[in-house]
Structure formats: structure tokens, C-alpha cells
Amino acid sequence: MLRILITNDDGIEALGIKRLAEALLTLEDAEIYIVAPQEEKSGVGHGVTFRSALEPQKHDFYGLPVKAWAINGNPADCIKAAYHLLFEDDQKPDLVFSGINVGTNLGRDIYYSGTCSGAREAVILGVPGIALSYDNWFDQDNYGEVVQMIQPLVKDFTEKASKGELPQQVFWNINIPHVPLDEVKGIVPASLSLNHYVDKYNQEGAGYFLMREYPEVMPLAEPLDYDLLKNGYIAITPVHIDATDRSLLKQMDEWSFVKSSGKREG
């Protein structure tokens, strides 16, 4: 039986994680576990807790047939603690889903997102991870038909995980448009759109709040996650956790400050 672990960054009481659990409960031969933050942890990135103790607390998760815990930490803490504390050595999770996030995680959001960090931490621990986000920031109580939208995705990912067909060192970042099911144009692979917004600070009193300004949606000249999502597609990006630029490693052999006993081969 496949062991599936769910987390999020909106907190264990968030509607999105409930919708994700409902989608996964439609699967056969799967045990569902939930380990999520006690409170909202949006934008915490991949922060982990060192200076205070984590205290997992069992949680009655909407009466659904799952095993659930709330943790006084971040999404990465939840996955790390679940892996080391809540699962036996011979019964580690087979797959991790993180979400469903309120609002998107596109482009460079993956570096700030607690949702993405949950999936990334899973991959660091050797478990496939999938992050899911829904474009409903301005309509947060409405998850529409998102359960039906993601059912084919979760079914395919769980089947591939059970066969060992998901690659190592990659987590999957999935963004879902806030449209009716019959208006979804497709599910497509996408590159990260790294420049689809600009940061702006708005002053309120003596303080400043970080905001964003978005350009108009561009035609689909490139398969970028932001443009695809805004044109009605579910965008899926494979994100490799090894950020080494190997082409530059070779170039650096020629840099004046590089000292070594010999050149690298290959």
C-alpha cells in the first residue's frame, strides 16, 4: 500500500489541504498522512527550526480517514519531522504532496514558497515531492472544481511513484488556473517565468508592505508557467534541486584565482 504524506504552508485548518486530501482519498490502496503547520507559514521559504523544540500534536482532520498531526514549525520542518519521527524506518512515505496553496507559486516564487519547500524537502530526503497551487488569491474561499482538476494528476503521479518511475532530485511545481473544469485547456510542461512581476513597497503609516505589480499576459511564444496559467492551462514544472551550473565549473578552471593540482576531466 502506498504511503502518501501531505503538507502545506497555509496551516492545517486551511481549505486547500482539505481539498487535496479529498482528491487523494479517491485513490485505491493508499494510506494518507497529514503533517502540516499549526498556523499559516506562507513565504517562509525553506526555513527549518533549530532554536526551539518541535511538538507534533495529533489532529482530528475534518473526520476524514487519515492520520494527521499539526506541528509548531514550517513546511520543511513538517516533512523532516514526519520522516524522522512519525514514520518507522521501514515504512517511510512513498510520495509527498504539498498544498493546495491559496494563490499561485510561479517563477521565482519557488524560492520563497513554503508550499514548494515542503515538496523540495521531500526530495532532499529521497521521496518524490509535488507542490500544488491554485490561482484563487482574490477568491480564497472558492476552490471551485479543483479536486476534479487534479484527480488525473494525482493518479498518474501515484502510479509512477509506485513503479519507481519518478526521477530523483526533482520536485514538481504545479499551478492550476481558477476557471471551471470545462475551461481548462490542458495540462502542459512549463518553464519558470522568472520576470513576470516586479516588487514594490507600499507605505502605510511608518511601515512598508511588499507588493507586486504584474504586466499584461503575453502571447504564448514560450512555455512559461505564468503565461500558460493565465491562458487557462495547468502548468507543471520539474524543478531540479541541484542548482550547480556545470558549464561554469569548466570555465572557472581558466580563471586566474583557481588553483589546483590538475584540470578536471570531462
Side-chain angles (χ1 to χ4, degrees), residues 76-93:
D77 288 319
C78 292
I79 299 304
K80 194 182 291 290
Y83 185 89
H84 291 289
L85 303 177
L86 302 177
F87 286 86
E88 300 293 336
D89 288 341
D90 60 345
Q91 293 186 336
K92 298 299 186 184

Side-chain angles (χ1 to χ4, degrees), residues 33 40 48 57-58 83 104 106 206 226 248 252 257:
Y33 299 82
E40 183 185 355
V48 293
Q57 301 290 330
K58 288 188 176 181
Y83 185 89
T104 57
L106 299 158
Y226 176 75
L248 279 180
M252 288 175 66
F257 62 74

Side-chain angles (χ1 to χ4, degrees), residues 193 215-224 226-228 230-231 233:
S193 178
E216 293 184 8
V217 178
M218 301 298 291
L220 294 175
E222 296 182 64
L224 299 177
Y226 176 75
D227 297 327
L228 286 164
K230 295 302 181 181
N231 278 279
Y233 292 90

